[in-house]
Amino acid sequence: VLNDRKYAGYVASQAASSKRTLAARARPIPADFDFSIVSGLSSEQIEKLTRQKPETLRQAEAVSGMTPAALNLLAVYLEIGDRRVARG
């Protein structure tokens, strides 16, 4: 019981993070997205993403060689692009 209380904040944080991750996986990737602008992706990752043209982050996750860090970078760049479009 003490451990439950001790780690309750961490467990709640992880649950929220999981929900955000699941929602992010459904995020569409524009057909004309230039993967080479994503600073931090390896040349191999850029080449594979450009060749396979995933439509969502979930599909990008399935590309060979993609790492959790690379997916996070891609998600951030997509979010930045969405914000720019929203501002007009």
Side-chain angles (χ1 to χ4, degrees), residues 62-75:
V63 172
S64 172
M66 287 301 288
T67 63
L71 289 168
N72 283 336
L73 287 171
L74 183 53

Side-chain angles (χ1 to χ4, degrees), residues 40-55:
L41 289 181
S42 70
S43 297
E44 178 185 4
Q45 291 166 332
I46 293 168
E47 181 183 326
K48 288 181 178 182
L49 288 166
T50 302
R51 191 173 350 108
Q52 295 184 24
K53 298 189 185 307
E55 295 177 6

Side-chain angles (χ1 to χ4, degrees), residues 8-47:
Y10 174 76
V11 171
S13 172
Q14 290 297 346
S17 177
S18 290
K19 284 183 183 180
R20 282 191 306 273
T21 299
L22 287 174
R25 286 181 178 163
R27 178 184 292 278
I29 299 173
D32 61 345
F33 187 79
D34 181 5
F35 294 100
S36 67
I37 67 167
V38 182
S39 178
L41 289 181
S42 70
S43 297
E44 178 185 4
Q45 291 166 332
I46 293 168
E47 181 183 326

